[in-house]
DNA sequence: TACATACTGAACCATATGGTTCAGTTTTAA
DNA sequence: TTAAAACTGAACCATATGGTTCAGTATGTA
């Protein structure tokens, strides 16, 4: 509903949420490729593939260049730095939470064994 | 269109593609919280917030437990390991591609300076 | 010149998404 | 026992998504 902004992180995580698009990135890691070649590999119409590439482009993950009649796609220089940073920071958050929980459990165990002494 | 499967990565990246949901994760990193408290903080109806939490739950990023009339949300033990791994592997792919490109450019420079000698 | 290739854009379709309201149910507290 | 609080579920709405087809345009090639 009325998508107000849509930050870079919104766009890149959204772009990565589709298996076909993750596959395109895999493919482009092997080397630059045309839209029609990608369409071929992923068994999809040219038009369909073009849409996927556009999503990746909007996310800055892929750049394209048209020379003659073929548009070549390659990985964007933007990379996945911001995404890696978000994920890494929050992976640590998850872990910290579980450590906190473990401590709580240990405290509870402690209290349990203290009961006879109180 | 007819979403065939929808892998765990699909679900988690999709869950992370919304700023509100990333905010919920931030929040839960600080401590467990009820749905209504989250709805309050993000200025949204209870029903709306419940949907966001459900998306995070389906992705395994959040677990909930209802005690009495309040449902408490906390970070799921699944964490962000798989996501971190995908991102990290592909971040390297991006970098490798640029190194390959740099080499190509260096080769071309080399050829350029060789021209007088050939 | 004529034909094939590679892309582009518009239109269409079914389903998903991100919200809302409204009408419940269950708990808790006065 | 009555009322408020916290959630739940159904229905609705506008827009987005992931595809398709069809009708172009531009570029290469025989």
């Amino acid at each position: 509903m009325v998508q107000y902004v849509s930050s870079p992180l919104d766009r890149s995580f959204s772009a990565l949420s589709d298996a076909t698009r993750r596959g395109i990135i895999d493919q482009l890691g092997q080397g630059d490729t045309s839209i029609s070649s990608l369409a071929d590999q992923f068994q999809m119409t040219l038009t369909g593939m073009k849409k996927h590439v556009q999503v990746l482009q909007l996310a800055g993950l892929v750049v394209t260049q048209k020379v003659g009649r073929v548009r070549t796609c390659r990985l964007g220089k933007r990379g996945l730095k911001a995404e890696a940073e978000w994920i890494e920071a929050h992976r640590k958050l998850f872990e910290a939470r579980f450590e906190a929980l473990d401590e709580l459990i240990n405290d509870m165990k402690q209290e349990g064994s203290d009961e006879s002494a109180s």
Side-chain angles (χ1 to χ4, degrees), chain A:
Chain A
M1 218 248 167
V2 185
Q3 206 70 350
Y4 299 101
V5 270
S6 194
S7 74
L9 233 38
D10 284 15
R11 279 190 291 270
S12 51
F13 280 137
S14 178
L16 294 178
S17 74
D18 181 277
T20 299
R21 285 190 297 258
R22 289 195 306 276
I24 294 172
I25 290 181
D26 278 340
Q27 195 55 47
L28 295 183
Q30 307 295 112
D32 302 353
T33 312
S34 71
I35 309 251
S36 52
S37 155
L38 286 170
D40 231 48
Q41 288 174 66
F42 290 91
Q43 306 212 90
M44 187 176 296
T45 58
L46 242 194
T47 312
M49 181 50 70
K50 194 171 169 276
K51 284 193 183 183
H52 278 302
V53 169
Q54 262 165 18
V55 170
L56 289 164
Q57 257 189 119
L58 279 181
L61 299 175
V62 161
V63 297
T64 70
Q65 190 187 11
K66 190 165 186 178
V67 36
R69 61 185 165 177
V70 8
R71 179 174 296 278
T72 301
C73 311
R74 66 171 198 278
L75 296 180
K77 62 191 171 322
R78 181 183 168 292
L80 287 166
K81 191 155 175 285
E83 294 70 26
E85 278 168 7
W86 193 95
I87 295 269
E88 204 47 39
H90 287 79
R91 206 176 55 73
K92 278 170 190 154
L93 242 185
F94 272 72
E95 280 170 14
R97 271 273 89 197
F98 298 133
E99 279 164 25
L101 216 116
D102 281 349
E103 249 176 66
L104 191 72
I105 288 167
N106 284 337
D107 285 358
M108 282 163 68
K109 278 185 190 158
Q110 200 61 31
E111 272 179 51
S113 62
D114 279 1
E115 253 173 348
S116 57
S118 66

